[in-house]
Amino acid sequence: MEFSKQFELINTIPKAELHVHIEGTFEPELMFSIAERNAIRLKYNSVEDLRAAYNFNNLQEFLDIYYAGAFVLLHEQDFYDLTMAYLKKCHEENVVHTEIFFDPQTHTDRGVPLELVVNGILQACIDARNQWGISYRLIPNFLRHLSEEEAIKTFNEALKFGELFTAFGLDSSEVGHPPVKFKKVFDMVRAEGFKTVAHAGEEGPAQNVWDAMQLLQVSRIDHGVRSIDDPKLLEELARKKMPLTVCPLSNLKLKVVDVMADHPLKQLLDNNIVATVNSDDPAYFGGYLNANFQAVTTALNLSCDDIITLAANSFKASFLPHEKIQLWLNKISHLKF
Ligand code: ADE
Ligand code: ZN
């Protein structure tokens, strides 16, 4: 099968990315250079040694390495460089809007002030908007392996940034930390007028997707691929137009699927679900957004129409204002293909 037409479309069509952890865009080369300037010794001797460690049997094995990598980020400039490197990729790949996750507790728990983290990320976003016209949203995530009290403390600290954050999310180890554990803090988040999102149905069961919708009242489900196990849930996701931010290369690398041909993305689309494609932690999973599109296109035999649907879904599911969404949908509908 020849996919050159699809690949050209993937490269040229405007896209939004709705599920990317900025700490997961930390490329080994940048990690080594920041470690050196911060006089921190990494556990690995070289970029190659570090990359060779990127073999994961499950989410937890990945998270252990991912949190260790974030340890070298100390100064505002570090967060700026990290974010700018990712935004440059966005520019190269025609990602025109990105909603960036970050994990405040990964940094504040080691004594790095939240202001410094946010200022570094934000300044890179402002510069990328000015240079390349990329729009952005920032979404702090609570670490679900920590307590709800700690999440509440983080939320109260985040309140001083006013409306800078659009939504709050929930990430880290899903198994053993179901949505109900964070019901109170999510009530607080919504009471202050923020939207909510949550990782659910990645490694955990379809029930976590129900609970994220019903208990946490999320506007989007991050991953949600295990929904495929529950036909009633698929109906409900379609009926509510509840978007799923699907991350194909992540699912392959973390063994959520054995091979990409088993990935449920096409079935989700066939069930009228607002599925989107995203990179999650591209430095660890072997590719940025377009590589994710390419991987599902070849494995699932996606058509140009499927790719157009996925790109359109990325804007429909975004937190952009209605007029901006319409603008991008219009652009997509006028593409000659
Ligand atoms: N944090 C970074 N990537 C994650 C993922 N795929 N699932 C849960 N938490 C994460
Ligand atoms: Zn994620």
Side-chain angles (χ1 to χ4, degrees), residues 19 21 199 223 280:
H19 183 159
H21 303 260
H199 283 55
H223 292 291
D280 205 7

Side-chain angles (χ1 to χ4, degrees), residues 211-223:
D211 290 351
M213 281 196 292
Q214 292 169 344
L215 302 177
L216 307 185
Q217 304 267 308
V218 295
S219 301
R220 296 196 297 245
I221 298 285
D222 295 317
H223 292 291

Side-chain angles (χ1 to χ4, degrees), residues 19-21 23-24 59 62-63 66-67 101 103 141 143-144 170-174 199 202-203 223 247 250-251 254 280-281 285:
H19 183 159
V20 60
H21 303 260
E23 297 89 348
L59 174 60
F62 155 69
L63 289 171
Y66 158 91
Y67 294 130
F101 293 156
D103 292 335
N141 274 229
L143 296 179
R144 68 202 305 160
L170 187 62
D171 68 359
S172 191
S173 324
E174 184 181 2
H199 283 55
E202 178 188 14
E203 272 194 346
H223 292 291
C247 306
S250 165
N251 295 152
L254 301 186
D280 205 7
D281 302 285
F285 298 152

Side-chain angles (χ1 to χ4, degrees), residues 72-276:
V72 309
L73 298 164
L74 294 182
H75 305 294
E76 192 170 316
Q77 187 69 42
D78 304 341
F79 288 91
Y80 179 93
D81 291 348
L82 173 71
T83 308
M84 197 36 125
Y86 163 68
L87 291 164
K88 186 161 176 283
K89 289 276 185 197
C90 289
H91 176 58
E92 288 162 6
E93 296 203 346
N94 237 331
V95 177
V96 297
H97 175 72
T98 179
E99 306 198 347
I100 297 177
F101 293 156
F102 69 105
D103 292 335
Q105 291 155 295
T106 298
H107 312 298
T108 53
D109 283 6
R110 38 187 194 95
V112 177
L114 186 57
E115 262 105 343
L116 174 163
V117 176
V118 172
N119 288 345
I121 297 172
L122 179 62
Q123 193 55 54
C125 289
I126 292 169
D127 289 352
R129 186 186 59 199
N130 292 341
Q131 275 183 64
W132 300 312
I134 296 172
S135 53
Y136 61 88
R137 297 288 183 273
L138 299 180
I139 305 179
N141 274 229
F142 304 121
L143 296 179
R144 68 202 305 160
H145 65 272
L146 301 178
S147 69
E148 184 175 53
E149 283 63 42
E150 286 165 288
I152 290 172
K153 192 169 146 248
T154 300
F155 176 58
N156 284 330
E157 222 194 312
L159 278 175
K160 67 169 168 266
F161 295 93
E163 291 179 2
L164 178 62
F165 307 130
T166 308
F168 284 78
L170 187 62
D171 68 359
S172 191
S173 324
E174 184 181 2
V175 173
H177 304 283
V180 66
K181 180 177 164 186
F182 294 93
K183 185 180 178 321
K184 198 163 101 191
V185 67
F186 270 61
D187 284 346
M188 292 170 67
V189 167
R190 281 182 286 99
E192 290 290 339
F194 298 101
K195 301 208 182 296
T196 58
V197 298
H199 283 55
E202 178 188 14
E203 272 194 346
Q207 184 60 45
N208 281 359
V209 177
W210 284 112
D211 290 351
M213 281 196 292
Q214 292 169 344
L215 302 177
L216 307 185
Q217 304 267 308
V218 295
S219 301
R220 296 196 297 245
I221 298 285
D222 295 317
H223 292 291
V225 284
R226 297 297 357 133
S227 306
I228 208 71
D229 301 334
D230 182 342
K232 280 229 149 45
L233 176 57
L234 291 178
E235 263 176 47
E236 183 68 357
L237 290 168
R239 191 186 67 78
K240 289 185 91 165
K241 296 189 171 54
M242 175 63 64
L244 303 187
T245 64
V246 176
C247 306
L249 286 172
S250 165
N251 295 152
L252 185 66
K253 273 294 231 178
L254 301 186
K255 300 198 165 35
V256 169
V257 293
D258 293 330
V259 290
M260 198 59 100
D262 290 346
H263 198 283
L265 178 69
K266 178 71 176 136
Q267 286 166 272
L268 294 170
L269 289 177
D270 291 345
N271 278 277
N272 285 321
I273 286 165
V274 187
T276 64

